[in-house]
Amino acid sequence: MARSDEHALLLSIDANIKSLETTLKKAEARVRAAAADMEKSGGRMENALGNPNIGRGLDNIVSDARQRALDAGANRLGVFGGALEALGPAGLAAGAGIGVFSAALMGALAAAQYADELADTANKIHITTTALQEYRYALRLAGGEEKGADQALEAFSVTLGKAQEGLTKAQRAFLLLGFSQEQIAAFRTSDEALRAVMEKLAEIESNPRRDALISLLGLDSMKPLIQGGVEEMERLRAEARAVGVVMDEELVQRGAELNDQFETLSQIIDVQLKSSLVGLAPVLIRLMEFAAQLSKMFGELASGLKSQAAGQALSVGVGEGAIRLASNFLPGGSNGLGVSLVRSLVRQLSGPSAIASAPALAPTIPTSNEAMIDRLSGGGSASGRTRRAAGRAAQPLKAVEVFDPEIMEILAALDYWQSVEKRGNELRPTLDVSGDFVATLDEQLQGARDATYQSLYDGVRTGLEAGFYGGVPGVVDYLKAQLMRAVLDSLAKTLAEVGADSGSGSSGSGSWVKTAVMAVLTGSFATGTNYAPGGLAMVGERGPELVNLPRGSTVTPHGLADIRPRASAGPVVIHADFTGAVVTEELMASFQAYADQVGARAAAEGAARGSAEAQARIYTRARNRLGR
Amino acid sequence: MAKMTNLEKRMARWNSFSAEIRDAVETELKKEVDDMVAAIQRAAPVSDFEARPGELRDSVSAYPVQGRPAAWRIIVKAQDKKGRYYGSYVEFGHNTEDGRRVAAQPFFWPTYRSRRRGLRARILRPARKLIREMFPRG
């Protein structure tokens, strides 16, 4: 490969062609082996066709192939695999059956087509199918092509026919060979005439003359066989029969008949498959559309959860579920305690002048796109990139506005609750944590939350089903139901969980319901009031208080509301559980005032005591210095 | 029948391949030869004693072998004023006319030795891949 030159540095590089040739030969050997296997398979197919019990043979082939396909899994199922796999093992088996049966059917059809073509060709050139197969085999071994035998025999048959009809041009070659008019007319088949012609041709010594006559007879393609002579041709034809490449006449005829049946059946199957695909197309398209909408919905939910209150995200694309949430907020149905309670809560939280209708909540729910973008991007000073991102996030939120005004109130309430709860969470570490009242209330509200969750789930599920099946009138078949059931269940569960946890912040599940009920309190009146707005209020949070109860008022007994003051004159310990609870501005102001008061008193006492101690220390030191 | 020479055998084998396989071999062989030439050029020393600094480096070239398929030669053609190829003198070291010893600065054969491992396999790899595609394993 490399050598150095005495004078110049020289290096030869060449390719190892011999190695490449070995590789090529191995590859060709593999192909030959595969071809041999295929021929064996073809033989089995022929045997199956030749078997009196054709159906059983076909069944055996199909069963074997089906078993192999099942073992191989669903990857080889073709176009139906993906869809049928979703149906589980039954679908897998059905798909394997369809695919393998189609393959077997195609193989059997090919064999029958071969027999049919053989019969048609033999009829066309007026020889038997056996003779045609023998001529094909003999010509192939003599160096020609099988197709050439068909062409030559057909051309010879035409020439013979014309000669028998008396056409001079067609008779010319026969006459030159020494046949008489009577002999030409006496030939009954092309096979018989060809044999006689070949015997005459063998007697001609001049090769050019023999070639010219062969050409005149239209036997050019069979020249390799004719040149071998009649004896050689007969030997090859006998060999064809001996090695078994000649299909029996009766079998060929049955194969031709089978071909007609197969063609009819395959046409039926083809039409049926296409029809089923056409019928399935709307479902598949609908499924794809739904998947696209689903992905978009989840994206919007994620955006909403990131940028806005969870309650807003809840309502994006799930209007019906949100309505059910409001309607089932507390037991009592949709007409009374549902949406109206939300209004009441908002009114109590925001003050009497703030909430009368949805438009009054404009500051919390921006109505214009620009306002929405401002809110999401953090104001007009945000960069262009931030504002563009906010614009994208605002699109799903804009969808909120198309819902019922009641939804707007719900969203406003949830938004407000979240802000209030945040303040409560900030103050929680500074306060003593206990309180049976809140704990009991929590337990009671847990049940309400569960009921709300179930209602929300049902609503979301109903809404999704209506949305999906709404565009597909007619019967919901098994396939659609199977494909969609898991998707709908999963989606409804996810959305319901999002809805039930909305507004909870970091407080845990159920706390937003607790927050809502705590917010029903009209206030705390330690400092007294001339005009209580009515409704549930907290009293006694700083000690004994006198309240003027209206008729029919309810008093919660000790144990359930253990927040009454101690009777002693000692320091008042306030027990309260602010886990997820709302701390109103007024209540927090009172706590702050109390803390200030106690702190100031402690500071004054400390200062006075420190001053006294300092004076005493100075006095003692002076007395020691004076030696007294 | 006369016995075939090795070259005739090689030609017969080469002609038995399809045009795609021959193209694949020739393309990859040319690429490997070009890479080898570039590597030798990078290793070749450049001296101020040359008639033109860099003459030895620039004289490294390759050419196909006439009459032999899939074969190339790489040669260092730099010559001195007397027409002598001085690449081998640089490669192996030599004595000057005034008796001084000039140390060897090997650049040719060490470069070849460092790259010859797997060279033939690399040349045939695309052709083998092509054969696998033509005759896929069952």
Side-chain angles (χ1 to χ4, degrees):
Chain A
M1 177 172 172
R3 68 186 182 90
S4 61
D5 191 270
E6 184 181 356
H7 301 291
L9 288 170
L10 191 66
L11 167 66
S12 293
I13 298 177
D14 57 19
N16 189 357
I17 293 177
K18 190 174 181 181
S19 166
L20 196 62
E21 185 185 34
T22 306
T23 304
L24 190 59
K25 283 182 177 177
K26 285 181 179 176
E28 287 172 347
R30 281 200 307 272
V31 171
R32 276 197 295 273
D37 288 344
M38 288 171 68
E39 286 183 4
K40 287 180 183 174
S41 300
R44 283 202 298 272
M45 183 64 74
E46 286 177 3
N47 292 336
L49 284 171
N51 193 315
N53 193 346
I54 295 174
R56 194 170 62 189
L58 194 61
D59 282 346
N60 289 338
I61 294 170
V62 171
S63 297
D64 291 342
R66 181 191 292 124
Q67 186 59 44
R68 282 199 296 273
L70 277 172
D71 292 340
N75 290 335
R76 298 184 179 177
L77 293 184
V79 66
F80 298 102
L84 292 171
E85 191 180 7
L87 300 180
L92 187 69
I98 290 172
V100 172
F101 183 77
S102 298
L105 193 63
M106 292 302 108
L109 184 60
Q113 280 174 343
Y114 172 74
D116 195 21
E117 179 267 338
L118 202 61
D120 290 346
T121 307
N123 287 333
K124 194 163 59 176
I125 58 183
H126 307 297
I127 62 173
T128 62
T129 56
T130 303
L132 177 61
Q133 294 174 83
E134 290 170 1
Y135 277 124
R136 285 179 174 179
Y137 178 80
L139 182 58
R140 183 162 60 83
L141 289 190
E145 294 181 358
E146 287 188 357
K147 194 181 289 181
D150 297 354
Q151 294 170 352
L153 289 171
E154 185 175 4
F156 179 73
S157 176
V158 172
T159 306
L160 177 63
K162 288 178 180 176
Q164 288 177 333
E165 289 297 323
L167 292 177
T168 308
K169 188 178 179 183
Q171 288 180 344
R172 187 178 172 192
F174 289 97
L175 294 173
L176 287 172
L177 283 171
F179 291 107
S180 64
Q181 295 281 3
E182 292 75 18
Q183 285 176 322
I184 295 172
F187 290 132
R188 287 175 295 178
T189 64
S190 302
D191 190 23
E192 181 185 347
L194 180 61
R195 194 186 306 267
V197 165
M198 286 182 67
E199 287 175 353
K200 292 285 187 182
L201 286 170
E203 297 171 359
I204 299 174
E205 295 181 357
S206 170
N207 287 336
R209 185 165 175 261
R210 187 166 56 230
D211 291 346
L213 289 171
I214 289 173
S215 180
L216 275 177
L217 291 166
L219 293 171
D220 296 283
S221 303
M222 288 186 73
K223 194 186 292 181
L225 184 61
I226 292 170
Q227 285 175 340
V230 177
E231 290 181 1
E232 177 66 11
M233 184 185 75
E234 289 300 326
R235 188 187 69 79
L236 292 173
R237 290 181 64 173
E239 183 181 320
R241 288 190 295 272
V243 299
V245 297
V246 178
M247 192 181 287
D248 185 61
E249 293 274 351
E250 184 186 356
L251 182 59
V252 171
Q253 191 59 38
R254 287 168 54 195
E257 293 171 1
L258 274 175
N259 183 48
D260 294 337
Q261 296 176 13
F262 273 137
E263 282 182 347
T264 305
L265 284 172
S266 65
Q267 193 173 0
I268 292 171
I269 291 170
D270 189 43
V271 170
Q272 290 300 317
L273 283 176
K274 286 175 180 170
S275 302
S276 62
L277 278 177
V278 169
L280 198 62
V283 180
L284 297 174
I285 292 171
R286 190 72 188 169
L287 183 62
M288 292 174 69
E289 289 176 350
F290 179 73
Q293 291 172 359
L294 199 62
S295 61
K296 185 181 176 187
M297 188 185 301
F298 277 122
E300 289 168 349
L301 278 171
S303 301
L305 286 168
K306 279 182 193 172
S307 60
Q308 194 52 274
Q312 286 180 337
L314 165 69
S315 66
V316 176
V318 201
E320 185 169 341
I323 292 171
R324 291 288 293 269
L325 171 65
S327 301
N328 296 281
F329 185 72
L330 283 176
S334 60
N335 293 327
L337 296 176
V339 176
S340 60
L341 178 62
V342 176
R343 283 204 189 92
S344 172
L345 291 173
V346 173
R347 185 179 298 110
Q348 295 293 341
L349 288 167
S350 303
S353 61
I355 303 301
S357 61
L361 291 170
T364 55
I365 302 295
T367 54
S368 72
N369 200 39
E370 281 301 314
M372 187 77 76
I373 292 173
D374 281 341
R375 181 176 177 179
L376 294 176
S377 63
S381 61
S383 66
R385 185 176 179 182
T386 305
R387 287 186 66 80
R388 282 194 295 276
R392 287 193 295 273
Q395 295 306 317
L397 297 179
K398 284 289 290 181
V400 172
E401 298 176 16
V402 306
F403 294 127
D404 192 88
E406 291 171 349
I407 302 299
M408 304 289 284
E409 288 192 31
I410 296 171
L411 300 180
L414 292 171
D415 198 19
Y416 185 82
W417 294 342
Q418 193 179 43
S419 64
V420 171
E421 187 177 39
K422 184 180 177 184
R423 288 203 296 272
N425 289 336
E426 289 171 357
L427 292 165
R428 187 192 313 149
T430 65
L431 300 171
D432 187 11
V433 176
S434 98
D436 294 338
F437 170 72
V438 176
T440 306
L441 194 60
D442 197 6
E443 291 177 3
Q444 293 173 346
L445 292 176
Q446 184 65 33
R449 178 188 177 275
D450 293 342
T452 303
Y453 174 88
Q454 186 59 42
S455 300
L456 177 61
Y457 176 89
D458 293 341
V460 170
R461 175 67 192 267
T462 305
L464 289 173
E465 285 184 338
F468 178 65
Y469 294 126
V472 186
V475 179
V476 179
D477 59 15
Y478 174 75
L479 178 61
K480 280 197 296 183
Q482 283 294 104
L483 289 173
M484 290 308 304
R485 184 165 296 154
V487 176
L488 291 177
D489 281 343
S490 172
L491 180 65
K493 185 179 177 186
T494 303
L495 294 179
E497 285 175 351
V498 171
D501 286 340
S502 62
S504 65
S506 60
S507 311
S509 60
S511 63
W512 71 276
V513 180
K514 183 169 59 183
T515 302
V517 175
M518 289 299 290
V520 176
L521 297 175
T522 56
S524 53
F525 302 110
T527 56
T529 179
N530 292 327
Y531 180 74
L536 188 62
M538 180 180 285
V539 296
E541 70 272 28
R542 293 190 192 176
E545 294 172 4
L546 294 176
V547 292
N548 183 12
L549 297 173
R551 180 177 296 179
S553 298
T554 300
V555 176
T556 303
H558 174 72
L560 184 59
D562 190 14
I563 54 175
R564 61 191 178 82
R566 302 285 176 85
S568 66
V572 177
V573 179
I574 302 172
H575 298 278
D577 184 357
F578 288 95
T579 304
V582 171
V583 182
T584 64
E585 292 284 357
E586 194 173 0
L587 183 58
M588 289 315 304
S590 64
F591 284 145
Q592 190 61 48
Y594 175 75
D596 292 345
Q597 185 180 357
V598 173
R601 191 168 58 203
E605 289 178 359
R609 189 176 301 170
S611 176
E613 285 187 3
Q615 287 180 2
R617 199 168 295 145
I618 292 169
Y619 175 72
T620 304
R621 195 176 300 159
R623 194 173 59 180
N624 292 338
R625 191 181 301 141
L626 292 173
R628 293 183 183 179
Chain B
M1 183 177 174
K3 189 177 179 181
M4 291 177 76
T5 63
N6 285 337
L7 180 60
E8 287 169 344
K9 286 180 185 174
R10 184 179 179 86
M11 291 296 294
R13 286 193 183 107
W14 180 252
N15 291 329
S16 70
F17 297 147
S18 67
E20 292 88 351
I21 294 176
R22 290 201 297 263
D23 288 345
V25 173
E26 285 178 342
T27 305
E28 190 64 21
L29 177 61
K30 179 71 167 60
K31 178 174 173 293
E32 289 294 331
V33 167
D34 289 344
D35 290 348
M36 184 75 76
V37 168
I40 293 172
Q41 284 179 335
R42 283 195 298 273
V46 177
S47 170
D48 293 335
F49 295 106
E50 296 177 282
R52 179 179 61 80
E55 184 182 15
L56 176 72
R57 178 194 61 200
D58 298 340
S59 70
V60 180
S61 60
Y63 61 92
V65 180
Q66 294 298 319
R68 184 177 174 84
W72 283 70
R73 282 191 184 133
I74 299 173
I75 188 171
V76 182
K77 293 191 292 188
Q79 295 172 287
D80 61 9
K81 292 175 183 175
K82 297 180 180 176
R84 294 174 299 195
Y85 295 101
Y86 65 87
S88 56
Y89 294 99
V90 177
E91 175 85 3
F92 301 111
H94 62 282
N95 293 326
T96 61
E97 292 177 348
D98 56 3
R100 285 189 301 108
R101 175 67 188 173
V102 178
Q105 298 183 66
F107 65 98
F108 190 84
W109 294 111
T111 306
Y112 163 68
R113 290 190 199 102
S114 69
R115 299 177 64 86
R116 70 177 170 182
R117 185 181 179 85
L119 178 64
R120 285 190 158 187
R122 287 198 299 273
I123 291 170
L124 295 185
R125 188 169 295 150
R128 291 187 199 278
K129 185 180 178 186
L130 199 60
I131 290 173
R132 281 200 301 273
E133 291 171 356
M134 288 177 175
F135 305 99
R137 292 177 184 271

